[in-house]
């Protein structure tokens, strides 16, 4: 039975809407644990505390699906049918440990919830047989056990929270991700969801809510770090007949996927945060501006909004108060610049997503000329916990000027890729080496790119920097939205800068000249650095290469100081930061015409180690330019003049006989 | 006008969702549909074209049956997505942004799919393939090529 059905039965004409019931009832539960009322039983079954049949929870976020969660689920269904076991299959969001997907949790009635990792289709028969037929633990794939507070631990069964990946995290925003069924509002409610909304609507005035957020020191998680409460305060104090709230879920920053995971794993938290924010600023209409590249997130959001409406948590007179709020989804159409507030507004209005000068700030004149607040997904997802526990609790987490937790998306050359939530002030070293497990394949750490295309690459010498807005700025990076891309010694920093310039250059909206032309020129300079003499069309290129290098910093400075919007002002950051920390690498490209990391193909020379070559002729067959010669079963050689550095020979060699220098 | 029945005539703010609907229907934005859109929204056709050419999502040419989107996000780049793209281009004989003549394959690059933890990633239609290497990619491509051949025979 669902909560709403329970209340439908009891409803009499003069009682307030369903939403209020739920929250009041939930408040009573915590006070009176003794009574096993009917609703309490419903709640327990939603929380999987008293279930009559086994529950199987499968991580079905985008990363889970990409690792074959769909096929694993099919295989499980088949196995269950084979053994004639009836069990409840529940798709959940991402628990964050993407490197270990597909993660399958199994909970038998009256027992603990046990998590299994890296489950493949071929593991399913053994998994189901040992866990559900023989009632044993399938140790081969065991990840950990969810122990309830104060439960006795079994030495052989590790607590999931004691695993290094989880031990150093503090989950506030991600508390429900991967734990509950994101498409079931009851699951969110049973874990205390929408209680903050109730608290705000019934016991606090909008000004109280804003004051609470200001006191908590919550700063925007989208990158800029502007205090959220202050922004709300501006919008609140602007008089208008209509105000808007927009949730910015246009996560265009390459290397970041926090917002996607939150929307896929716990969409109700975002919606609750939005309703509270709308109440605080007095908005009656809201939009979620979500990337069209996130189809699953959009699907889940649609369901979430429909459920919230059904329960009376969206729409007219929410929870019996005088506050009404409606929410719509707008799909982005793929433009990085639409992460910028004014560009995003133009996009919702159906125009080209180009920024405009500020002021007037959107809080004064935004969407359709009305006061508009735009907050990032993670900022809004912080609100329910903040209101529930109060500003004092919130200020207890983090550093002096950066409060709360921050979610980071760990990716690149790192063992434990995934999503982590840590309190502000933790050092980057701790995130990369303790939680992330360091660099794979025994390679050395080189740099970490933080803040995406607007941020910077930080070398080992500064990775003891604590993550907070100011400290990161002082070392030449920004907090950004939370993408952490780790790079090892085989990554070329000039190539990285070139990569970001290619990205920025194609994403520049073209409105202002410094960004449109400047990034193009920056890219040209970087390209000249990575081209060899051979591919140069005229002899002046070599001179232009030196000239470009001389002007590189000045050009970066001009772009930074004269661009209109945030995209342009930060566009040169990857170049500035790599120049600051990896100047020697630029110089090697320029003077020695070598790529120290062995990445820039044109600057490499291919050789065949004749002692390893068996003369299998595979490389000669694969070579598109016939640059490899040699007798069958005899050593082969590469003619450098013909070689186009396509790398096909090295990739295809079965004897590792081809090396580069 | 069946396609626009959920929208109000003259509502310029719904332009992008309408264009998304048109693209869902046809796979791209045909010229005559853009003219119809302009009439419906009371906007100049140039404005529709301006919006269409601004956003990465909109295409002015028809797509192949299998759309291969190669992620060019930072994590994928660091893990060699450029090589993945090159291999795909040479295997299918088309460049990024192009569609094969038989309308079977299209290669597109996207800024970030958001599955950075399993980089390098490509998406074929809506199916994700992560952790690719040169070898696993070749296998994947030949699987799809075979599928295409089978369909042709039928």
């Amino acid at each position: 039975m669902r909560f709403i059905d329970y209340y439908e039965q009891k409803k009499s004409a003069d009682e307030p809407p369903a939403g209020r019931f739920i929250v009041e009832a939930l408040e009573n539960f915590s006070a009176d644990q003794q009574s096993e009322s009917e609703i309490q039983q419903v709640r327990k079954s939603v929380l999987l505390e008293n279930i009559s049949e086994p529950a199987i929870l499968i991580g079905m976020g985008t990363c889970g699906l990409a690792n074959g969660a769909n096929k694993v689920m099919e295989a499980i269904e088949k196995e269950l049918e084979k053994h004639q076991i009836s069990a409840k299959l529940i798709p959940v969001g991402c628990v964050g440990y993407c490197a270990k997907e597909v993660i399958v949790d199994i909970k038998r009635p009256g027992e603990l919830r046990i998590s299994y990792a890296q489950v493949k289709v071929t593991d399913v028969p053994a998994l189901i047989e040992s866990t559900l037929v023989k009632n044993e633990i399938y140790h081969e794939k065991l990840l950990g056990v969810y122990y309830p507070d104060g439960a006795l631990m079994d030495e052989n069964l590790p607590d999931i929270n004691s695993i290094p990946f989880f031990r150093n995290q503090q989950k506030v925003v991600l508390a429900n991700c991967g734990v509950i069924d994101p498409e079931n509002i009851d699951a969110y409610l049973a874990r205390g969801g929408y209680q903050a909304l109730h608290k705000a609507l019934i016991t606090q005035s909008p000004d109280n809510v804003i004051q609470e957020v200001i006191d908590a020191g919550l700063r925007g998680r989208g990158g800029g770090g502007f205090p959220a409460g202050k922004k709300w305060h501006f919008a609140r104090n602007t008089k208008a007949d209509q105000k808007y709230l927009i949730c910015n879920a246009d996560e265009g920053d390459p290397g970041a996927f926090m917002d996607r995971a939150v929307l896929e794993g716990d969409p109700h938290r975002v919606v609750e945060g939005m309703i509270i924010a709308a109440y605080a600023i007095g908005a009656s209409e809201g939009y979620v501006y979500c990337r069209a590249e996130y189809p699953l997130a959009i699907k889940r959001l649609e369901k979430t909004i429909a459920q919230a409406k059904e329960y009376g948590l969206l729409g007219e007179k929410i929870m019996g108060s005088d506050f009404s709020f409606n929410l719509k989804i707008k799909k982005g159409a793929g433009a990085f610049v639409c992460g910028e507030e004014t560009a995003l507004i133009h996009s919702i209005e159906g125009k080209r997503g180009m920024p405009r000068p500020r002021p007037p700030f959107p809080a004064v004149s935004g969407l359709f000329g009305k006061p508009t607040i735009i907050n990032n997904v993670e900022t809004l997802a912080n609100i329910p916990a903040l209101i529930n526990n109060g500003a004092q609790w919130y200020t207890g987490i983090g550093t002096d000027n950066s409060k709360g937790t921050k979610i980071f998306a760990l990716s690149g050359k790192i063992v434990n890729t995934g999503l982590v939530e840590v309190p502000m002030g933790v050092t980057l070293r701790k995130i990369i080496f303790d939680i992330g497990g360091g660099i794979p394949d025994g390679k050395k750490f080189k740099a970490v790119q933080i803040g995406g295309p607007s941020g910077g690459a930080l070398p080992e010498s500064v990775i003891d920097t604590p993550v907070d807005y100011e400290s990161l700025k002082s070392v030449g990076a920004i907090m950004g939205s939370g993408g952490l891309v780790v790079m090892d010694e085989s990554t070329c920093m000039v190539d990285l800068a070139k990569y970001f310039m290619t990205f920025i250059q194609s994403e520049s909206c073209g409105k202002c000249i410094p960004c449109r032309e400047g990034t193009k020129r920056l890219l040209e300079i970087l390209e000249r650095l990575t081209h060899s003499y051979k591919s140069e069309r005229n002899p002046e290129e070599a001179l232009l290469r030196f000239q470009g290098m001389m002007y590189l910093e000045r050009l970066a400075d001009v772009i930074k100081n004269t661009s209109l919007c945030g995209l342009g002002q930060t566009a040169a950051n990857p170049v500035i930061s790599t120049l600051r920390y990896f100047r020697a690498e630029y110089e090697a490209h320029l003077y020695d015409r070598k790529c120290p990391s062995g990445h820039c193909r044109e600057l490499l020379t291919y050789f065949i180690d004749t002692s390893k070559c068996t003369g299998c002729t595979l490389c000669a067959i694969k070579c598109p330019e016939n640059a490899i010669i040699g007798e069958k079963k005899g050593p082969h050689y590469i003619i450098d003049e013909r070689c186009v550095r396509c790398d096909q020979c090295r990739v295809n060699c079965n004897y590792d006989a081809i090396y580069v220098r | 006008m069946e396609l626009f029945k959920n929208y109000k005539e003259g509502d310029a703010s719904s332009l992008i969702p309408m264009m998304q609907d048109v693209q869902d229907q046809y796979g791209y934005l045909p010229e005559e549909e853009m003219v119809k859109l302009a009439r419906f929204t009371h906007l100049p056709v140039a404005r529709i074209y301006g919006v269409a050419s601004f956003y990465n999502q909109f295409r002015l040419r028809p797509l192949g049956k299998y759309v291969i989107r190669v992620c060019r996000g930072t994590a994928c780049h660091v893990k060699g997505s450029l090589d993945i793209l090159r291999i795909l281009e040479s295997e299918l004989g088309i460049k990024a942004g192009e569609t094969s003549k038989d309308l079977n394959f299209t290669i597109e690059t996207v800024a970030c799919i958001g599955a950075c933890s399993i980089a390098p990633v490509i998406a074929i239609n809506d199916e994700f393939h992560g952790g690719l290497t040169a070898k696993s990619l070749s296998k994947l491509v030949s699987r799809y090529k075979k599928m295409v051949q089978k369909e042709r025979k039928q």
Side-chain angles (χ1 to χ4, degrees):
Chain A
M1 185 165 46
R2 298 170 63 210
F3 285 151
I4 193 163
D5 301 332
Y6 174 80
Y7 286 113
E8 284 297 320
Q9 287 171 8
K10 312 244 148 181
K11 196 156 124 187
S12 63
D14 57 328
E15 275 172 344
R20 179 153 186 183
F21 265 132
I22 294 158
V23 176
E24 283 177 355
L26 282 168
E27 279 175 348
N28 293 335
F29 294 155
S30 39
D32 179 17
Q33 286 289 340
Q34 298 300 319
S35 68
E36 272 285 294
S37 61
E38 197 180 343
I39 184 70
Q40 181 74 306
Q41 280 170 12
V42 177
R43 176 172 172 268
K44 278 197 164 172
S45 83
V46 170
L47 287 173
L48 306 177
E49 279 172 13
N50 62 348
I51 40 174
S52 52
E53 54 182 28
I56 303 174
L57 301 101
I58 307 169
M60 300 272 263
T62 295
C63 40
L65 290 173
N67 277 320
N70 258 334
K71 284 174 190 146
V72 170
M73 187 155 172
E74 275 168 31
I76 291 176
E77 277 169 355
K78 230 184 250 167
E79 277 309 302
L80 290 175
E81 207 174 307
K82 199 174 103 192
H83 294 289
Q84 296 196 322
I85 301 169
S86 102
K88 202 173 171 199
L89 284 173
I90 306 168
V92 295
C94 176
V95 73
Y97 209 169
C98 303
K100 298 276 185 206
E101 291 283 1
V102 177
I103 294 175
V104 177
D105 292 3
I106 295 181
K107 188 174 189 312
R108 288 196 302 258
E111 288 182 31
L112 295 170
R113 176 171 172 176
I114 300 171
S115 194
Y116 298 96
Q118 286 179 308
V119 178
K120 295 196 179 68
V121 175
T122 46
D123 300 322
V124 170
L127 174 71
I128 296 297
E129 188 168 341
S130 55
T131 55
L132 295 182
V133 180
K134 293 187 192 154
N135 285 356
E136 285 168 358
I137 304 236
Y138 186 57
H139 282 281
E140 281 84 348
K141 296 281 172 179
L142 181 68
L143 180 68
V145 178
Y146 287 87
Y147 286 102
D149 289 333
L152 265 175
M153 280 200 2
D154 186 337
E155 267 177 36
N156 297 320
L157 302 174
D159 180 0
I160 192 155
N161 291 315
S162 68
I163 297 169
F165 183 78
F166 292 108
R167 190 171 49 208
N168 294 307
Q169 295 193 47
Q170 182 172 6
K171 295 205 173 189
V172 174
V173 175
L174 295 178
N176 287 342
C177 275
V179 180
I180 63 165
D181 178 359
E183 294 186 3
N184 183 356
I185 188 171
D186 285 350
Y188 182 65
L189 283 164
R191 282 176 67 93
Y194 290 109
Q195 285 188 14
L197 177 63
H198 180 262
K199 186 177 172 187
L201 279 183
I202 308 302
T203 65
Q204 291 176 312
S205 72
D207 289 314
N208 288 149
V209 175
I210 292 176
Q211 197 53 47
E212 190 95 44
V213 176
I214 291 176
D215 291 343
L218 173 67
R219 299 172 69 170
R221 296 290 193 255
F226 192 80
K230 232 182 193 172
K231 204 159 148 182
W232 292 8
H233 184 72
F234 290 140
R236 170 109 207 129
N237 286 352
T238 309
K239 291 222 162 20
D241 53 341
Q242 169 84 56
K243 292 177 192 172
Y244 294 101
L245 176 79
I246 300 173
C247 171
N248 183 353
D250 189 48
E251 194 174 39
D253 182 352
F257 52 94
M258 300 77 47
D259 297 352
R260 173 181 64 71
V262 174
L263 289 173
E264 285 175 6
D266 200 9
H268 278 288
R269 184 181 295 269
V270 182
V271 170
E272 185 182 2
M274 284 191 77
I275 306 170
I276 296 170
Y279 171 69
I281 61 169
S284 59
E285 256 185 71
Y287 292 94
V288 184
Y289 186 84
C290 186
R291 294 181 78 193
E293 284 92 337
Y294 291 173
L296 186 63
I298 292 174
K299 199 187 96 197
R300 296 234 161 111
L301 264 173
E302 280 167 353
K303 273 198 182 160
T304 301
I305 292 173
Q307 284 176 347
K309 268 191 195 146
E310 189 188 3
Y311 275 60
L313 300 166
L314 275 175
E316 304 301 310
K317 298 200 183 303
I318 295 169
M319 288 192 183
S321 69
D322 285 334
F323 174 63
S324 304
F325 182 60
N326 280 302
L327 198 52
K328 284 183 202 146
I329 300 171
K330 282 267 178 180
K331 276 194 276 178
F336 178 63
V337 70
C338 286
E340 205 275 346
E341 289 190 333
T342 55
L344 191 152
I345 287 171
H346 285 155
S347 178
I348 294 183
E349 289 173 349
K351 299 176 188 154
R352 287 164 71 97
M354 288 171 151
R356 63 161 171 80
R358 295 180 297 183
F361 286 93
V364 177
S365 170
L367 189 63
F368 305 118
K370 307 288 183 192
T372 305
I373 286 299
I374 301 169
N375 280 134
N376 168 267
V377 171
E378 196 185 332
T379 316
L380 290 165
N382 265 291
I383 302 293
L386 191 161
I387 296 293
N388 250 339
N389 301 315
Q392 212 179 350
W393 167 83
Y394 198 82
T395 49
I397 311 169
T399 63
D400 281 348
N401 47 34
S402 306
K403 301 293 179 198
T405 60
K406 177 80 193 88
I407 307 177
F408 287 103
L410 277 178
S411 61
K413 306 276 180 73
I414 188 158
V415 175
N416 297 331
T417 54
L419 208 63
V420 299
E421 183 172 358
V422 290
M424 296 269 193
V426 164
T427 62
L428 284 168
R429 187 184 294 280
K430 196 162 184 181
I431 298 177
I432 296 164
F433 290 96
D434 292 356
I435 300 175
I439 317 294
D441 307 325
K443 288 202 174 143
K444 251 172 62 191
F445 172 86
K446 184 173 196 174
V448 55
Q449 175 75 22
I450 175 165
S454 312
L458 303 179
E460 178 140 29
S461 58
V462 292
I463 63 164
D464 285 313
T465 312
V467 283
D468 70 35
Y469 292 93
E470 272 67 33
S471 317
L472 285 173
K473 211 172 258 172
S474 71
V475 292
I478 60 163
M479 175 75 82
S481 55
L484 279 184
V485 183
V486 179
M487 286 158 280
D488 67 9
E489 50 196 331
S490 65
T491 313
C492 169
M493 302 314 282
V494 179
D495 178 71
L496 182 81
K498 192 173 86 174
Y499 161 78
F500 279 120
M501 267 319 118
T502 315
F503 176 78
I504 289 288
Q505 189 259 125
S506 70
E507 290 296 335
S508 169
C509 79
K511 181 167 182 166
C512 70
I513 299 162
C515 173
R516 183 181 69 219
E517 290 299 321
T519 55
K520 182 116 186 121
R521 296 288 95 81
L522 270 182
L523 177 62
E524 280 173 6
I525 294 172
L526 295 171
E527 274 177 344
R528 279 196 198 101
L529 281 176
T530 55
H531 279 319
S532 82
Y533 295 115
K534 277 196 234 166
S535 56
E536 285 172 0
R537 276 178 227 109
N538 62 52
E540 276 170 36
E541 288 281 309
L543 281 174
L544 287 172
R545 183 162 47 237
F546 278 91
Q547 190 199 33
M549 201 52 205
M550 281 161 62
Y551 286 140
L552 194 57
E553 270 168 316
R554 205 178 88 187
L555 179 57
D557 230 35
V558 170
I559 298 171
K560 196 173 169 180
N561 293 330
T562 56
S563 289
L564 172 64
C565 79
L567 182 138
Q569 285 158 14
T570 57
N573 277 0
V575 175
I576 296 172
S577 75
T578 45
L579 259 181
R580 176 169 164 185
Y581 294 113
F582 301 96
R583 185 174 279 273
E585 233 172 279
Y586 277 86
E587 286 172 352
H589 282 74
L590 180 67
Y591 302 129
D592 309 337
R593 308 266 49 222
K594 286 241 157 65
C595 177
S597 341
H599 188 278
C600 299
R601 291 265 171 76
E602 288 199 20
L603 302 181
L604 301 176
T605 314
Y606 281 74
F607 296 98
I608 294 179
D609 184 345
T610 45
S611 65
K612 281 185 186 166
C613 180
T614 60
C616 72
T617 73
L618 184 63
C619 55
I621 296 167
K622 288 278 175 187
C623 181
E625 300 294 319
N626 293 326
I628 301 178
I629 51 163
E631 294 285 318
K632 218 174 179 177
K633 292 194 177 158
H636 280 53
Y637 301 92
I638 298 176
I639 306 169
D640 192 46
E641 285 72 36
R642 281 197 207 155
C643 174
V644 290
R645 279 98 179 134
C646 69
D647 208 36
Q648 282 293 317
C649 51
R650 197 180 61 84
V651 171
N652 282 294
C653 182
N654 292 324
Y655 305 96
D656 287 331
I658 293 163
Y659 64 98
V660 290
R661 202 155 56 198
Chain B
M1 288 300 144
E2 189 59 19
L3 212 49
F4 313 139
K5 65 175 189 293
N6 296 332
Y7 301 98
K8 243 189 1 234
E9 189 168 346
D11 177 14
S13 71
S14 300
L15 179 61
I16 292 173
M18 282 173 170
M19 289 166 75
Q20 284 166 335
D21 286 353
V22 171
Q23 185 156 296
D24 282 346
Q25 175 89 20
Y26 296 93
Y28 71 112
L29 297 173
E31 196 178 321
E32 51 279 18
E33 289 299 318
M34 287 206 275
V35 175
K36 273 189 213 163
L37 255 174
R39 273 198 212 117
F40 189 76
T41 51
H42 303 179
L43 291 169
V45 186
R47 168 83 192 274
I48 315 275
Y49 181 78
V51 171
S53 58
F54 184 85
Y55 294 98
N56 297 333
Q57 193 192 7
F58 297 121
R59 304 177 205 93
L60 301 171
R61 277 196 214 109
L63 279 184
K65 190 167 169 207
Y66 297 105
V67 181
I68 306 177
R69 290 183 297 150
V70 182
C71 180
R72 292 286 289 125
T74 320
C76 287
H77 175 76
V78 169
K79 289 210 165 176
S81 70
L82 195 60
D83 291 337
I84 297 287
L85 180 63
R86 295 279 171 269
I87 295 170
L88 263 178
E89 286 178 339
S90 74
E91 292 253 2
L92 297 174
I94 44 172
K95 295 260 166 231
E98 293 178 352
T99 301
S100 61
K101 277 201 184 119
D102 55 7
L103 287 183
N104 275 323
F105 293 103
T106 299
I107 304 179
E108 282 186 339
T109 58
V110 289
C112 183
I113 293 183
C116 314
S117 51
I118 46 167
V121 192
I122 65 168
I124 303 185
N125 292 348
D126 276 334
E127 203 177 309
F128 288 78
H129 302 272
L132 290 167
T133 59
K135 277 177 189 156
S136 67
L137 179 67
S138 296
K139 250 190 224 161
L140 189 68
V141 172
S142 58
R143 205 176 87 209
Y144 272 90
K145 275 186 177 164
K146 265 183 207 151
M147 248 155 69
V148 166
Q149 269 171 6
K150 226 189 220 169
E151 282 158 9
R152 201 178 291 152
K153 272 179 201 157
Q154 277 168 2

